Amino acid sequence: MKIWSIFKRELQSYFYSPVAYIIFSSFLFVVGYLFWVVMVAQKLATLEPFFGNAAFVLLLISPMLTMRLISEEKRSNSLELLLTSPVSPAEIVMGKFLACFFLYLVLIVVSFKFPAIMYAYAQNLDWGPIISGYIGLVLLSAAFIGLGLFASSLAESQVTAAMVSFAGLILFWIIGWVKFAVEGPIGEAISKLSLIEHYSELVKGVVDSGNIIFFLAFTVVWLFLATRVLESERWR
Amino acid sequence: MIEVKNLTKMYGNLKAVDHLSFEVAKGEILGLLGPNGAGKTTTMRILTCFLPATDGTATVAGYDIFEDSVEVRRRIGYLPETPPLYPEMTVTSYLDFMAGIREVPYGKVRSRLNDVLERTSLTDHRHRIIGTLSKGYRQRVGLAQALIHDPEVLILDEPTVGLDPNQIIEIRDLIQNLSKDHTVILSTHILSEVQAACGKVAIINEGRLVAVDSVEHLTSGGDVTLFRVALKPATVDWRETFASVPGVELSHVGGEGKHVTFDLRVPNAETYDKVFAAAVAKGHIFTEITPARASLEEVFRRLTVGETAQNGNGGTVQ
């Protein structure tokens, strides 16, 4: 009930401001443009480039969608209201996470038009990797939101929150390159933290439980940290 | 209903609240009074479980604010200093949200909503966007939010700040109506507000409690020993008539010759009789004698600035 209230308010506030509309249209425009260019140039019936592009554009817009989640409440003192209500920090974080996640799901559902367009030209589409790619995209969104929500809980300024989450996302995007510099098991272990490695396996059609667990764990860890930050707010 | 014991809050080395103790009974309105920075807001934030105390305890409705924080928060309606509103929402959707997180049962939300809109005279503005409301209306929305779950305890941080005189009176009446079945703590540095709305006052200065009492008690300390006197003197040496009685102090305020006004301070009731008998004997005619009661302003100044008033009565005559 309380999570639902927070979820509803959060989702409403996305649509009260132009943010959601701008982000939606720019995502669809950029991804659509890349989809068109690649399809015309390559003439291949595969959605692999689409998933790569979609994930990267999502990475660029994600900080914009998550930055206000908690920092806005801090700046406008409404956090005082939430924390003096019988709501736990975990409920606040969960409600906000779900609201943002719902927004991403809508975006992802709208992007079903790309496989549909492709299907119009090539009936011999391989649906397996497309479905697993979409599973990857959904999991990746959750991971992006988790990190962004944590960044937002740290800062009172939305710009700072956006910078922190952007830096964090980029870092976890390319951390896999460590394995080229550091030989042996340590390099391997660090590069396992890379979001893109797990994502690209899903896009290729490899639905390994390890990949799914990685994304879920990644999300939960950041959400947990955000909860702790909110709790600590009370003890300062 | 509310018990505060030895509450202390340190911000680094700064003592914001220093061993504060007081009690508020059910149905009482306590005014927390103090100069800016006295620790009023900090105290309220501790009571609403927003800030932890460094030391000491407090219970609200029998629940400890540290141990049973959630139970306490369920029973409190809180209006912070700046009403925490979401400017993009409408009044109704905001209150609906607050009802949700304050655990108002789903079936009761509508009736609670109509009730608080009615009480805060917001019914005509229910569909307006909060960001477009004037300060007074925002304050009312803040108050409506604190009432939405019909809490046992209301904690209001400067509830009338930014309101016009009519609105102040409305809000005061509202608070007094609420006190029938709610316990209220309100903070303010406006003294007339305490006098008008509160049954009990706690005066805080630099984090310490300097007085807690009913308004009547605080303003009528001991015998009245100060009078404003207007006089038609019979002789030019009228001062000496009064000065001849030992212990009497006289400070001239205005007028000369045919009509004079002055403040008269007498040490006790017997001297009072002597002074007036002596004056009448000399043929002076009193046109006005006003006994001075200490106003809350004086009590406040005396207690917070550290002035020690003589004979239990401070300041000048009103």
Side-chain angles (χ1 to χ4, degrees):
Chain A
M1 178 64 192
K2 282 177 273 180
I3 293 181
W4 168 246
S5 293
I6 291 168
F7 169 84
K8 207 168 64 176
R9 198 205 68 75
E10 204 61 49
L11 203 60
Q12 275 174 351
S13 77
Y14 271 120
F15 289 100
Y16 282 136
S17 75
V19 179
Y21 303 100
I22 293 172
I23 300 249
F24 265 47
S25 47
S26 46
F27 174 84
L28 291 172
F29 177 78
V30 175
V31 172
Y33 165 76
L34 291 170
F35 173 77
W36 171 70
V37 169
V38 171
M39 194 172 74
V40 169
Q42 285 195 331
K43 297 193 168 60
L44 282 177
T46 170
L47 274 171
E48 238 188 276
F50 157 74
F51 282 116
N53 296 331
F56 190 68
V57 176
L58 216 55
L59 182 144
L60 295 179
I61 61 172
S62 193
M64 256 90 85
L65 279 174
T66 54
M67 63 182 185
R68 48 172 292 287
L69 286 172
I70 293 173
S71 46
E72 173 73 9
E73 305 261 10
K74 279 192 180 181
R75 198 191 52 75
S76 70
N77 289 327
S78 45
L79 195 63
E80 191 169 348
L81 194 73
L82 293 180
L83 292 181
T84 56
S85 301
V87 191
S88 70
E91 285 169 323
I92 299 173
V93 167
M94 215 48 217
K96 285 176 180 287
F97 169 79
L98 290 176
C100 198
F101 190 54
F102 182 79
L103 211 64
Y104 277 67
L105 287 183
V106 173
L107 198 58
I108 287 169
V109 167
V110 173
S111 81
F112 285 169
K113 70 175 184 178
F114 296 115
I117 292 169
M118 184 142 289
Y119 181 71
Y121 293 98
Q123 275 73 31
N124 60 342
L125 270 186
D126 186 358
W127 288 102
I130 294 176
I131 292 166
S132 71
Y134 267 111
I135 292 172
L137 207 54
V138 169
L139 291 170
L140 194 67
S141 319
F144 284 176
I145 301 167
L147 202 154
L149 197 69
F150 170 70
S152 181
S153 75
L154 296 177
E156 213 169 282
S157 134
Q158 295 191 25
V159 178
T160 315
M163 298 300 255
V164 171
S165 78
F166 191 63
L169 291 178
I170 291 279
L171 178 71
F172 280 104
W173 196 248
I174 57 176
I175 202 168
W177 297 350
V178 165
K179 68 174 177 238
F180 301 122
V182 183
E183 301 275 316
I186 297 172
E188 280 293 321
I190 294 174
S191 71
K192 280 274 178 271
L193 291 174
S194 163
L195 289 166
I196 190 156
E197 303 241 323
H198 296 277
Y199 178 64
S200 57
E201 279 189 30
L202 282 164
V203 168
K204 281 181 199 133
V206 187
V207 187
D208 180 3
S209 60
N211 294 327
I212 294 173
I213 289 167
F214 169 79
F215 280 115
L216 294 180
F218 189 92
T219 312
V220 168
V221 165
W222 291 115
L223 291 182
F224 174 73
L225 289 176
T227 311
R228 299 309 301 221
V229 172
L230 271 191
E231 264 163 23
S232 79
E233 200 71 26
R234 210 175 258 152
W235 301 106
R236 252 179 264 163
Chain B
M1 201 62 172
I2 303 168
E3 267 180 73
V4 178
K5 274 189 210 126
N6 286 322
L7 207 64
T8 303
K9 174 72 186 174
M10 308 279 294
Y11 288 119
N13 282 327
L14 183 83
K15 256 190 185 163
V17 175
D18 190 1
H19 292 94
L20 201 64
S21 303
F22 60 83
E23 277 177 32
V24 192
K26 192 171 164 57
E28 219 168 17
I29 307 183
L30 174 81
L32 269 186
L33 198 62
N36 294 322
K40 301 184 296 277
T41 300
T42 305
T43 307
M44 295 189 143
R45 285 184 163 172
I46 294 172
L47 284 178
T48 52
C49 314
F50 182 60
L51 284 178
T54 315
D55 201 11
T57 58
T59 58
V60 175
Y63 293 97
D64 189 274
I65 53 166
F66 308 108
E67 308 289 325
D68 297 306
S69 154
V70 176
E71 291 299 324
V72 170
R73 281 182 273 149
R74 281 199 177 115
R75 285 164 177 80
I76 278 182
Y78 176 41
L79 172 66
E81 218 170 347
T82 41
L85 309 169
Y86 295 98
E88 74 277 5
M89 298 180 96
T90 64
V91 174
T92 317
S93 61
Y94 172 71
L95 291 176
D96 194 48
F97 165 67
M98 288 313 297
I101 64 168
R102 293 268 175 75
E103 303 179 334
V104 177
Y106 189 73
K108 279 192 180 170
V109 172
R110 182 166 287 271
S111 67
R112 286 300 309 150
L113 197 73
N114 288 332
D115 181 48
V116 293
L117 286 172
E118 186 73 35
R119 281 188 177 209
T120 50
S121 346
L122 280 167
T123 313
D124 295 341
H125 303 271
R126 59 192 302 166
H127 296 303
R128 285 184 62 185
I129 289 165
I130 292 172
T132 66
L133 292 174
S134 70
K135 194 157 193 284
Y137 278 106
R138 285 185 201 199
Q139 194 73 23
R140 291 182 197 206
V141 179
L143 202 60
Q145 159 276 123
L147 294 172
I148 190 84
H149 54 308
D150 199 17
E152 292 171 47
V153 176
L154 273 171
I155 296 187
L156 312 172
D157 201 349
E158 308 205 348
T160 57
V161 95
L163 301 181
D164 68 38
N166 290 333
Q167 293 170 332
I168 290 180
I169 290 168
E170 274 175 42
I171 297 284
R172 245 181 229 162
D173 289 345
L174 174 66
I175 292 172
Q176 261 174 343
N177 276 330
L178 289 171
S179 76
K180 282 169 199 151
D181 37 26
H182 300 71
T183 306
V184 185
I185 296 187
L186 63 88
S187 81
T188 179
H189 50 251
I190 305 163
L191 295 131
S192 59
E193 188 157 304
V194 174
Q195 229 151 3
C198 304
K200 198 171 168 185
V201 198
I203 299 180
I204 302 181
N205 191 32
E206 288 167 7
R208 278 188 305 276
L209 189 71
V210 286
V212 55
D213 212 335
S214 69
V215 176
E216 292 84 52
H217 267 173
L218 274 179
T219 52
S220 66
D223 286 343
V224 179
T225 54
L226 184 67
F227 301 88
R228 162 140 315 169
V229 179
L231 189 77
K232 281 184 183 166
T235 52
V236 194
D237 60 347
W238 57 273
R239 281 164 205 265
E240 277 149 41
T241 316
F242 291 96
S244 65
V245 184
V248 170
E249 283 174 53
L250 187 149
S251 58
H252 191 219
V253 175
E256 202 56 72
K258 283 209 187 310
H259 199 270
V260 293
T261 322
F262 54 89
D263 287 345
L264 185 73
R265 192 184 286 285
V266 293
N268 51 45
E270 294 93 75
T271 327
Y272 172 92
D273 298 348
K274 279 187 207 163
V275 173
F276 284 88
V280 172
K282 284 277 180 183
H284 303 305
I285 298 163
F286 290 101
T287 56
E288 193 186 324
I289 304 168
T290 318
R293 318 189 103 230
S295 69
L296 201 52
E297 265 94 350
E298 288 156 18
V299 177
F300 181 69
R301 268 194 71 75
R302 192 174 76 218
L303 292 170
T304 56
V305 183
E307 281 180 357
T308 44
Q310 293 157 323
N311 304 329
N313 256 321
T316 54
V317 188
Q318 285 212 309

